[in-house]
Structures are given as structure tokens and as C-alpha cells.
Amino acid sequence: MIKNKRYNVSKKNLIHNIHLKLGYSSRFIEKFIDDIIIVVSDGLKNEKKLKIKNLGSFTVLKKQARIGRNPKTKKIHSISKRNSISFKASHLLVKNLNNEK
């Protein structure tokens, strides 16, 4: 594996890998992944925090309006207030990532 090269998992690759491991149809897996995304989105909208055991927790952060600047053109513009998502990995996920037992 090449270091410093970003590897992004697309939804298509995720569906393909799950299909190879479990053998379910691609349409079923795609529907299942879509349902997971809906459940996570709804949980964050309603509760502002979602914890998935052995994976981590998602938290909604409220960002305030601020003044921003385009670094290329130096043009100043306002950035509106918005919500953002923070993810904190569980200790088990971090241990698995570091090959610890």
C-alpha cells in the first residue's frame, strides 16, 4: 500500500465488498445502507447525539456565523451559522486500528 495516498470508500465499493463477504444481493445491501444512513440522520436531528456501541459516537456541533476570507482572492464574505457533525471513535475501534488486543 502506498503511504500518503488517500483511500476513500465509495458506496458502490462498500456494497460490492459486503456482497462478496455475505453473499446478499447488491440491491438488498444498498437498501440496507440507505436505511442505516436515514436512521443515523434522524437520530442526530432528534437527539443531537448518537452512540453506536463498539464504533463511536456522533455529535451535532452548532457553528456560529463568522467572517471568512477566500485565501486566493482575499475577498471577504460572511459564513452563515450551520450545524456540523463530530465523530469520536470508540476505544475498541482504536485498539483494532492499532492491532492491540
Side-chain angles (χ1 to χ4, degrees):
M1 190 161 122
I2 300 170
K3 288 192 177 196
N4 298 332
K5 180 165 177 161
R6 291 182 74 166
Y7 177 71
N8 294 322
V9 178
S10 67
K11 186 176 173 183
K12 186 177 178 181
N13 289 344
L14 185 62
I15 291 169
H16 180 69
N17 289 337
I18 293 172
H19 170 71
L20 291 177
K21 276 195 169 200
L22 301 178
Y24 291 110
S25 73
S26 295
R27 286 185 185 194
F28 174 78
I29 296 167
E30 183 177 9
K31 177 70 173 132
F32 183 74
I33 290 172
D34 289 340
D35 290 344
I36 288 174
I37 292 169
I38 290 169
V39 168
V40 169
S41 298
D42 290 345
L44 287 172
K45 284 179 189 173
N46 297 331
E47 302 297 325
K48 306 297 184 216
K49 188 168 186 174
L50 179 72
K51 185 175 181 180
I52 302 174
K53 188 174 180 173
N54 298 333
L55 180 67
S57 58
F58 297 89
T59 308
V60 175
L61 302 175
K62 293 184 185 272
K63 304 274 186 156
Q64 295 298 321
R66 63 188 174 91
I67 302 297
R69 182 171 27 98
N70 183 335
K72 203 172 198 179
T73 64
K74 308 292 187 213
K75 184 177 178 184
I76 294 175
H77 60 91
S78 64
I79 300 171
S80 61
K81 69 182 204 179
R82 67 209 177 278
N83 291 326
S84 181
I85 299 174
S86 170
F87 175 74
K88 180 159 176 26
S90 73
H91 293 290
L92 182 65
L93 182 62
V94 173
K95 282 183 179 181
N96 286 339
L97 182 66
N98 293 315
N99 296 322
E100 298 174 7
K101 291 191 177 195

